[in-house]
Structures are given as C-alpha cells and as structure tokens.
C-alpha cells in the first residue's frame, strides 16, 4: 500500500532556520524510553532537592539532582524537600505512574537515626493551590502517584533526639518506579508477585491432574498437599483484601531504583528542652467539638484535647485551648483538667511547656460556683514550682475604657487570691475614648499606664510597627521590668505581605522570619490566636475551609488528618507550622550565639549574611539560613 | 479520671459576638456524615453543572445543581461540564474518595443516542494549572479519583449524527461514591464481591475436610468438585491481574447514587457535512515521527498520519501535514499518499474535507525527480472533480522581496502545469524592502499588488487589525474576487489577550470567539499553523512541554494520548479544540440565519445578544451563546 519512494525526498533536519513548526531552542537531551521494558527510575522520573523554605508547586521545573547534606543540633528537626516529576508516562489508569519511596536508616559509625521515629517522609499537598499540607507517605505504604506534567514535592524531616550522639549519619532515599504490569501483593513484609499466585493455583491443578485416582493412599497424600496449598492461597486473599487498590514493589532489590544520598551532621549542641521563647498558641475547643462530634467534657473530649496538646508540644510551642465568650472575653486554658487532677501536674510540669494559661473560669459565667472554682484552682497552683509559668489571658484586644474596666475587675479578682499572678493582654491600639487621639501611636504606646497593675504581659501586634523597627524602643521604655512587666508580640490578620506572617502563599523565608523578627526586636514572648480555626464542620473528614474575611491560612497551622485520609487520626501539619518550628530553632541558635559572643555579634551575623534586617528586609533565598546555622555551629563548637 | 462537673460551666454558643476564634459568617448548612455507614452520594460529593465555556479549576466553588438541558442540531456536537468536589473524605489511601460515573443512553420516544458512540465523558486535566486536556473517563472504567479540597471537572459531549431523528432525548448521569471498604472485582460484566472469593476458598477447604478419606469413589467425586472450584478461582485471578489497582461498584443498583438529568433537544437542522468555512490546520509530521519513533514513509508512519487525519476531520477542519524547510519554506500536504494512490481519492473526495493542500514536492529539494513528481501529481489532480478544493501553501510569512521572488518562482512552476491552481500565502506585513514604509499598514495592504497572480488566497494575521475592524474593508478592496482572489485570516502568537485566540488561560468565550470573528469580518477561509507543535520528545508518553518563546497552548490543540495513559493510542483533545469546533458550529448557525434573513439580521442578532461586537467586545458569559442558538433554532424552524 505504500507509494513509490521518489514521491518525497528524504526529510531535512527541521527547524534549523527557526520559526514555524520548527522546534524551539530547548533541547532537553531527551532520550527514547521504551516503557514496555523495565527502565531505570532515573529515565522515568526527574528527582531533585529543594530547601524547606521553597514553595514547590505542581509547575515547578526540574533541576539537577544534588545529594542532601544537613546540619542539625540535638533535639532539633531539620527538613528538606525532594521534588518528583515524571519524564514520561509509563502507567495506565490515567496517571503517569507510581513510585515507591523508602528511606534507609541513617547510620554513623555505631549509631542510627531510625526511619519512622526520626526520619519521616510526607507528601506536600496543596491547599487552595498552594503547597501546604504534609500528609504522611506511610499512609500509602511509601507509594506516591505521579501525574502527567505535574511536580510532586515530598517533605523529608529528620528529628535528632537530645540523646543522639553527635556524628555524621548517612543513609539513602530510594525511589523506585513501579511497573503497572507487575502488580504484587505484600504479605508480612515479603513481596509476592501476582504471577506467583497464578502459578500456585496452576500447580494445584497440575497436582490434581497427576493424581493416581486408583490409589487411595496416594490421593490422601496428594490431597493433604492441595489443602496446604489452598490454605496458603487463602492467606494471600486476606492480604489481598487489605491491599487491593495499592501496588507494591516488584522486588526488594531496587536494581532499577534512583538513590539520593542523605547525610546529616549532628553536632554537639542540644537545643534546650524548654523553649527559650514562650510562644503561646491558641487551639479552638469549639472547632474540635464540632468536627469530631464530642460532647463537652466527655471522655472522648478529654482524649481529643490531650492528643492535640501532645501533638503540638512537639513544635516548641505552649498550647492553650480557647473559647470565645461575650464580646472579646475569652476563656483560655492549657490543661483541661483541674489543678487537683494528676493530669494537671503532668501538663504544667512538662519541661517542653514554657508557660501555661490558667483558666479564668468566670469568663463565661460569673456564677458563685465559678468564682469559687477559680479561687480553689489558684490556691493550689500558686504553691507549685511551675507557678512561675502561669499566666492569664482574659480579653482579646480591648478597644474602650469599658473593656479596660472588665480586665481590671477580672485581674483584681485573680490577684486578690494570687497577688503575683501574671495577666496577659493583647492590643494593637489604645482605648478609643481616652485622652489621646484615637488610633494614634501615642494612645497605643501609653496603654501600660491604664492597664497597670492589672496586666503584666503587654502583648502588642507586630502590625502596629509597620517597617519602623525603632518604635520598639518607645514601647519598651513605657514598661517597668522591675515590676515583672514584659513585652510580647503577636501576628494575626496583620501584618500582611511583604512582612513576616504565616499566611498561605507567602514565601518560605517569610514564614520562618516571624521568629527572626521576634529575636531581633527583643520581645520576651509571642502569642498566636489560632492553629485550627477553620470554618465550621460537623464531620472529621469534612472539607477544611478557611474562614471568610481572614487571609487564607490565618488561624490554621494544621489540618485534621481525616480530611486527607479516613484512617489518619493525627493532625496533618502545614509547611507553615514546620517553618514556625524552624524559626523557633533559629531563635535558639541566635540566642546561644549571643550568649557566647554578645548580642551585637549576633546582630552583625544577621546583617552580614542578610538573613534578617527588618520586617521588609530579610532573605528570600535559603542560602543565608544555612550560612547562619553553619557559622553558629562553627563558632560555638570552636569556642567550647 | 474525669473531674468534677462544676469545674467548667456549660459552653456558650461561640462566635455570636464576632471576632477571635469565633466562626465566620458562613454557615454552609453542613451535616454530620458518618462515613462508616454507606451514605447517599449527595452527602459525600458536591455536584454541579457548568457551561462548556467555563474554565473550571481545582479551586472552583460548588453551586446548586441544575439539571442539564441542551439544544443541538443534527451533525452537531454539544458539550457541558459537570463539576465534582468532595464534601468529606470517605476513603483511605490519601484521597477523598472514588466515584463511578455512568451515563445512561439518551432516549426519545423511539430512538436513542448511544453512550460511547454519541455520548462521552472526559476528565478535564490541567496543563500548567489551567484546565485543558480531555482524558476519556472510560480509560478508568468510568471511575474518577476525588482529592480533598479539589474540584474535578468532567466534560460531557453529545454528538448527534446527521441521521438522528429530531426530538427530545432524555437520560441521566449517575454518580456513585465508591466505598473503599467494599472492593470488588469485575468479571465479564458481572460483579463479584471479594468476600465471595474468600468464601469460595473456604468452601473448598470445608469440602476437603468433609471428604470420606476411606472411600475412593467419594474422593474422586469430591476432587472433581474441588478442581472445578479451583478453575473458577483461577479465572478470577486472571480478572484480578487486569483489574488490580482499580475498584468497581459494589452493586449495579445505584441506590445511593446521585442522578443528574440530561435532556437534549435535537432539532431539524443538519449542520452541513462539508464545512462552509474552509479551516486549514497544520499537523507537524516531524513531531509525530520523533515522538512515536516512526521512520519516514514506513508503514507505521502512514498509519500514524492517517490516524491523526481521521481524528482531526471530526473537528470540521481540513488538516494539512507540514514540515519546515530552509528559511520559511514549508512543505504542506493533506494526503501522504500520491495522487495515483487509492487513498488519495479517499482523502480528497471526503465530503468533510473542505479544502486540501497539494504538496509542492520540490519545497525541500528541487531535484529533477521532485519537479517531475509535482508535474505528474498536478496532471492527475487537475482532472478530478475535487480539484476545486486544492490549494498550495508554499511559504510562511514572506518578509522581503527575495521571499516574494521564491513564491513567484514556485507559483509559476505550478501554474505552468495547472493554470487554475490556487496558491495561499500568509503574511502580517509588507516586504521590508519595497517602496512603502516598512511595517506600515499601507505596505501590508498592498501585498496583493506584488503577489498577483502568484497568490490567490491572501491569508493575513488577525493581529494586524488590532481593534480596528474597519481595516477589513481596506484589505478586501485591494482584492480581485473576479479573478478568484480570496481573503483568509489566521491567528498564531498574536493577537493576544483580550482578543480571541486559543492560548491556554484565555477565557472560554475567547477561544470560541475566534470563529465568531471570522464570520463577522467575512473572510472566506482560515488557517492555523499547528495543532501538535510541542517541544521535541522521543517517547510516546514523554512529558508534553509547550515550546519556549510561544504563548502556552499556541500551536497545540491536542495531546498525545500516551502522555496521559500508556494504553491510550488516540490523541487527547484540548478544551480549546472543542471550543474551536463549537465556534465552527456557531458559524454554520450564523450562516444559516443570514441566508434566510439576510446578513444585517444576523449582525443584529450578534449585537442584540452581545455575543460578538468586535475583537475586544464579546461576551464573557455563556448566556448569549445559548440565546443566539435558541433564536436561530426558533426562527429557522418557524420559517420552514
């Protein structure tokens, strides 16, 4: 059917002269891949690393692969990202293909960092199109689906326990493209090829064909054999029931795998168990009650709050549960159990907890019983050694003298039982009906004059400062440290871009810079209003929606696990929460450096590296972060 | 372990007073969903319809569901979108859940529109984050994966054959949420529950236990039974091998399904089989050769070109294959076989083909043999009745008199054998070295003076017009229709937003408006340079990348199927290609209306509905499209 060969001349090389349908200028050095043959994973998938401060979207372009090298102190968590993008589609089912991602344990000469305990891998899932949620890859037995033309970022965290001996720990991340035509079942950790199963059935049939149907003894013997085979098959079916819908590796030899070296230098420094900066973070009990259908103060309710508390403690923050009352009155408490309960001692004495909120019980109902409860609580707590961690957070952002009067009344009630109690008050302006011009900086800065002695912790919004870092001096000079007055800060809706905050869509260094800012400005504590303040939902797996009127991500630093997988009972952290933790860890590095070499030297380090100069002047790249950490590591180690 | 009930007062309703951790203003009317029980799909998934001109992204918000009502002529394809978004996560495996989507046949009193043949469902897959590629849902047996917090758009196409009797055709789209704990295997169209399989194995074991091991005859009997059972099991394993990794419905009863009514009114009008507007579209043979590893003029090469040709004919366009030569010389041909080959007659006589490109064989090598071949071809073709469809496209966008001389020489060679041959030349400016100011509109508009009689089809870029539609008159007044001179237009890199074109990220009506524009401006043909001009790739499933230097989507209107699924051999259409088809169908509606009621009436219809007034004034909403179609339907039907 083909025509004479004279019809067309041999084709020329196209596109040399440019234009038209000629190819563009990009030659990717593409190779011909025959997906019918098993191929090295590196021929099927682009893999490259990205720093933890990169927001790696689905459109991220591949880069050359570099092996991973990390520096970590003890009691520190460091993270890095691994981006995967299919070069070619090798699978059916409307996807590019599946990969199996495993990490080996990380070994030094004689010690290990264990996978699962110290090393964990997550899929970075976009929220509103922005990479944010970290879903454990172990949910899918380390398997990930790659989609055509899409980059999948993985998040790799290494936590070094305080007790871990310093040294260089080496391991590998092994990425194996799974063949769609080699579907296997995993049973008790070993891998069974599906072809094996069919062979087994065929074997049984062959055996039965070969029976001597005239010899009873031989048949009994043969049947015993067949029965054993069937039992074995049934076992495989049980596995099948659990595993159907997933695939696993063809073999464990990883002959076609792509390997990324992961090296962690653990140095001598131990990040303090008790965070140097008290950072208090609000957890809405209402949101938990609604989503998980928990009756207030039921046994399941206590379990849920306890789970959230324990989970959040890993992030170097001091959680407080909260519920809004009338006006901006707020009930806040770190421990859901009363002071005479053993759990209370466990919570308040935990060295990871820097400070705790004591419930001002009459916040929601000023009954006599509530007042009595408060008094009883205070009488117990003020005798404890952990009492120095206690604070009261009574009212959010008072705006008028009427609000100030409320705070005064509550504070007086508290201090009548516990005169040394500390009250925290948040504000971003002065009272609108006082002698200063409403909304003026002067009205704001003079707030301590009105709240003294009813507040000890003056917690102001970073938003107020704008880019004028020098206003910090004006705020601090109004305080009386000799009377235990402290300056804390907070971020919420403001400040917005380009200033540091935790909104979705901000750059990674912007998330991390919140705590660089706190260190540079010198506040002695930090408050964040909400970590789980989604829109109302009544099912654990209901879609998580950000609240209207708030910048996306504001008030939400983790997600309910059930939103990502019905079997996931733990929360799913956001990138932003991890970057907050990194910022708190950086804080410890800077503090350690400053205590050794003085604060001016630490400030010079920030300046020299370009890490953080002010709320609108901080690094956009990851480079200065590694630079600061390496310098601190170098000088602190040398100096010892 | 719980503490005294006096400790906290009963919780108040939160957030009534606004602010803080109180919920926002949005109450979605969320219901409590127990995913451990089977739930109606409507409780698990938002489903709503969107018009075909909507770009439905992953962040698209749910709307109330309305049933679908379409108007279609015969030989017309109409499309609509169905968006799905999980309300809740009901599945494991790191996804929200899976749904099974089926469409019933559409029935009138006595006729049907068949699923698969006339009704098809596609997943809309984003390219560079923009919804674009239409991947057949049948690839995954009608199953789709829903991801947490993501909207999945489905594209539903109904094609009405020319022979279809008019009438109202009704059917349903059935959407069934699949339970992840009810995994079943499909065998020969019937559904087998996995529990059944385990039961079968258990049965066999029980049978063997019950054997009388002393009776040979009973054992032989029993063994026959067991063997049959095993054979049956093996059959299930075969199915398993093919189906593992996918899931299917628990049952076919759809008791928990969500049903969307789909009603299509087929009216009496038949869109002409031969498109009224010749629209020629370039297909790069080089791209096909490289990606599919095809030797030029091998049997597989002919098959591939034929497949592409046949597939593209469905879109009311006249394909031509092309390859760029030296400079902007271009070899273009509609049929890869020579004129004396039976395939040539089949191609050129196809009534769906409006026009065809005859290869100017010496384009790539001006050997004596090539010139002889051309002469022979022309001598055959000019005797055929389809010769009136023939045109030559020799050079893309000549820029200098040297280029004009080349065209002249080629045209003369062609016309020495076939004096009535038509040569098409594309241009967006006059020659830079002629008497007019280079780049001036005058130089552009006077091109026919230089190219006459070496060009008959003057094909100009829409980009030249900007928003000045009135310049069309200047162009047309330079032509000599009495000498068969025609004005065609083209779009490529330009015009860009907000003017009509087919770039990725433009709005749907902008894609569709390309052909509204052609109708209003009155050109008698249209050219598009490339439908498959991706970056170079050497494997069928290699990632499709847009060429650098071109606006995304420019030169690519479909994708190789293998990029989306290794088993998909046909191309995958883009939304933009479907909207181009819709535009060409709209052209027929407008033409039919104009021939009945006059062109001014048709222009008034455009104006009255706001469909299209000019390149920067056309509807952004779908409403006017339905309005125009309904009006045409109403008046043409009434008038008959």
């Amino acid at each position: 059917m083909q025509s004479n060969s004279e019809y067309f001349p041999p084709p020329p090389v196209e596109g040399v002269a440019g234009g038209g349908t000629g190819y563009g200028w990009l030659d990717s050095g593409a190779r011909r891949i025959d997906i019918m043959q098993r191929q090295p994973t590196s021929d099927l998938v682009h893999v490259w690393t990205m720093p933890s401060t990169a927001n790696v979207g689905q459109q991220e372009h591949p880069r050359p692969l570099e092996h991973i090298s990390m520096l970590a102190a003890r009691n520190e968590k460091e993270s890095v990202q691994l981006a995967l993008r299919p070069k070619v589609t090798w699978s059916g089912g409307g996807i590019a293909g599946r990969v199996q991602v495993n990490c080996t344990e990380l070994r030094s000469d004689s010690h290990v960092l264990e996978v699962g305990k110290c090393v964990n891998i997550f899929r970075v899932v976009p929220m509103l199109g922005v990479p944010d949620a970290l879903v454990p890859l172990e949910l899918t037995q380390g398997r990930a689906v790659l989609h055509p033309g899409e980059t999948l970022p993985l998040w790799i965290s290494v936590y070094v326990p305080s007790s871990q001996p310093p040294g260089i720990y080496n391991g590998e991340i092994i990425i194996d493209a799974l063949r769609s035509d080699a579907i296997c079942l995993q049973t008790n950790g070993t891998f069974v090829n599906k072809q094996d199963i069919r062979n087994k059935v065929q074997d049984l049939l062959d055996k039965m064909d070969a029976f001597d149907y005239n010899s009873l003894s031989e048949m009994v013997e043969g049947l015993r054999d067949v029965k054993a085979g069937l039992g074995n098959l049934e076992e495989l079916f049980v596995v099948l029931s659990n595993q159907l819908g997933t695939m696993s590796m063809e073999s464990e030899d990883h002959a076609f795998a792509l390997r990324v070296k992961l090296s962690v230098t653990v140095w001598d420094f131990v990040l303090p168990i008790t965070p140097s900066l008290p950072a208090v973070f609000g957890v809405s009990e209402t949101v938990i009650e609604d989503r998980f259908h928990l009756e207030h103060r039921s046994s399941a309710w206590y379990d849920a709050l306890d789970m959230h508390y324990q989970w959040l403690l890993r992030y170097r923050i001091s959680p407080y549960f909260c519920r809004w009352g009338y006006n901006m009155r707020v009930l806040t408490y770190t421990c859901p159990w009363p002071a005479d309960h053993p759990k209370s001692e466990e919570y308040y004495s935990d060295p990871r907890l820097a400070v705790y909120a004591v419930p001002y019980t009459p916040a929601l109902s000023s009954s006599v019983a509530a007042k009595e409860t408060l008094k009883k609580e205070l009488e117990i707590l003020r005798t404890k050694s952990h009492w120095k961690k206690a604070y009261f957070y009574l009212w959010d952002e008072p705006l008028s003298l009427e609000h100030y009067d409320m705070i005064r009344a509550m504070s007086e009630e508290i201090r009548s039982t516990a005169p040394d109690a500390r009250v925290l008050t948040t504000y971003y302006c002065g009272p609108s009906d006082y002698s200063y011009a409403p909304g003026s900086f002067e009205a704001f800065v003079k707030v301590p004059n009105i709240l003294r002695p009813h507040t000890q912790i003056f917690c102001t919004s970073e938003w107020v400062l704008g880019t004028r870092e020098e206003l910090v001096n004006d705020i601090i000079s109004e305080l009386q440290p000799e009377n235990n007055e402290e300056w804390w800060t907070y971020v919420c809706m403001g400040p917005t871009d380009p200033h540091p905050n935790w909104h979705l869509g901000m750059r990674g260094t912007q998330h991390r810079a919140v705590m660089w800012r706190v260190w540079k400005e010198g506040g002695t504590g930090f408050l964040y209003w909400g970590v789980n303040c989604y829109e109302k939902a009544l099912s654990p797996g209901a879609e998580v929606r950000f609240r209207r009127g708030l910048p996306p991500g504001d008030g939400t630093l983790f997600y309910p696990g059930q939103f990502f997988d019905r079997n996931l009972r733990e929360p799913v952290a956001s990138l932003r929460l991890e970057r907050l933790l990194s910022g708190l860890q950086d804080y410890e590095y800077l503090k350690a450096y400053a205590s050794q070499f003085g604060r001016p030297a630490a400030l010079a380090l920030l300046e020299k590296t370009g890490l953080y100069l002010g709320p609108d002047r901080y690094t956009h790249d990851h480079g200065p972060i590694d630079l600061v950490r390496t310098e601190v590591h170098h000088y602190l180690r040398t100096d010892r």
Side-chain angles (χ1 to χ4, degrees), chain A residues 160-175:
Chain A
V160 181
S162 299
S163 58
Q164 194 76 27
I168 297 174
Y169 291 78
N170 292 308
E172 279 181 332
I173 299 160
I174 302 171
I175 300 157

Side-chain angles (χ1 to χ4, degrees), chain A residues 90-395:
Chain A
W90 73 91
S91 175
I95 62 170
R98 287 183 171 82
V99 289
Q100 173 80 39
V101 182
N102 288 95
C103 190
T104 65
E105 60 183 14
L106 308 184
R107 283 208 154 272
S108 73
D109 289 345
S110 46
H111 301 281
V112 296
L113 287 163
E114 276 175 47
V115 178
K117 197 176 136 209
C118 300
V119 186
N120 286 285
I121 306 182
F122 304 83
R123 212 160 35 97
V124 184
V125 174
M127 295 294 296
L128 300 184
V130 180
D132 197 53
L134 303 180
V135 178
L137 203 61
E138 65 185 22
L139 262 183
T140 47
Q141 290 86 44
R143 290 175 212 116
V145 173
L146 300 183
H147 294 280
E150 266 187 32
T151 294
L152 173 73
L154 299 177
W155 183 272
I156 297 156
S157 278
V158 179
Y159 171 71
V160 181
S162 299
S163 58
Q164 194 76 27
I168 297 174
Y169 291 78
N170 292 308
E172 279 181 332
I173 299 160
I174 302 171
I175 300 157
D176 240 331
L178 300 176
R179 296 186 67 183
S180 64
D181 55 339
I183 297 159
C184 314
L185 303 172
Q186 188 180 0
T187 166
N188 304 326
T190 63
F191 290 90
V192 181
N193 192 296
K194 78 168 197 304
Q195 189 59 44
D196 289 345
I197 303 181
R198 291 192 54 196
N199 291 347
K200 260 180 197 150
V201 175
Q202 192 56 54
D203 272 354
L204 295 180
L205 288 169
D206 290 346
K207 266 184 188 144
M208 293 172 81
D209 279 333
F211 284 170
D212 182 354
Y213 279 73
N214 297 315
S215 152
L216 189 66
S217 64
E218 208 188 309
M219 277 193 67
V220 169
E221 190 62 36
L223 268 179
R224 194 168 297 146
D225 209 343
V226 169
K227 260 188 78 175
L230 269 178
N232 197 274
L233 267 182
E234 196 195 34
E235 202 178 296
L236 291 177
F237 268 119
V238 176
V239 175
L240 176 67
S241 308
N242 300 328
Q243 300 267 334
L244 201 62
T246 65
M247 300 178 185
S248 65
M249 289 183 290
E250 187 165 19
S251 69
E252 277 185 309
D253 66 4
H254 300 308
F256 290 83
L258 188 156
R259 289 155 181 277
V260 183
K261 289 205 175 97
L262 172 57
S263 169
V264 180
T265 301
V266 174
W267 67 297
D268 209 10
F269 184 50
V270 185
L271 293 198
I273 302 295
T274 306
S276 305
L277 181 81
V280 303
F281 281 68
V283 188
S284 164
E285 52 160 46
T286 321
V287 166
I288 295 174
E289 287 171 11
D290 286 343
R291 178 171 284 265
F292 298 102
H293 197 190
L294 299 172
E295 201 184 329
H296 195 65
R297 301 174 64 64
S298 65
S299 161
W301 180 90
Y302 281 100
D303 288 348
L305 265 57
D306 190 45
M307 185 272 281
H308 281 89
Y309 172 78
Q310 301 293 348
W311 189 85
L312 284 166
L313 263 192
R314 303 183 204 163
Y315 287 92
R316 299 187 74 79
I317 62 180
S318 299
Y320 65 86
F321 295 98
C322 56
R323 175 183 293 270
W324 251 244
Y326 178 71
N327 219 321
M328 293 300 265
R329 205 185 292 261
V330 60
L331 173 69
T332 63
Y333 58 97
T334 291
C335 180
W337 286 273
D340 57 0
H341 193 283
K343 269 294 210 181
S344 148
E345 192 59 31
E346 180 195 320
Y347 268 49
Y348 297 148
S349 297
D350 193 311
R352 295 170 300 167
L353 191 72
V355 291
Y356 62 83
V358 183
Y360 175 74
T361 343
L364 304 177
S365 145
S366 51
S367 66
V368 175
K371 286 173 181 293
E372 274 307 305
T373 304
L374 173 67
K375 202 165 168 7
K376 190 179 138 205
E377 290 285 299
L378 287 176
E379 278 164 358
I380 298 172
L381 289 176
R382 62 189 297 254
T383 66
K384 305 281 188 175
S385 64
H386 55 58
W387 173 244
K388 59 184 183 298
K389 297 186 185 180
Y391 70 94
F392 287 83
Y393 175 24
L394 306 169
W395 195 286

Side-chain angles (χ1 to χ4, degrees), chain A residues 611-628:
Chain A
L611 186 74
Y612 183 84
L613 302 168
D616 55 352
R617 289 176 303 146
Y618 53 87
T619 181
H620 292 176
D621 304 321
H622 196 82
I625 295 174
D626 282 341
L627 220 52
V628 164

Side-chain angles (χ1 to χ4, degrees), chain A residues 139 292 540 559-566 568-572:
Chain A
L139 262 183
F292 298 102
Y559 303 97
Q562 291 87 340
F563 172 51
F564 296 100
D565 189 297
R566 64 179 284 174
L568 187 53
R569 307 264 163 230
E570 278 212 333
V572 158

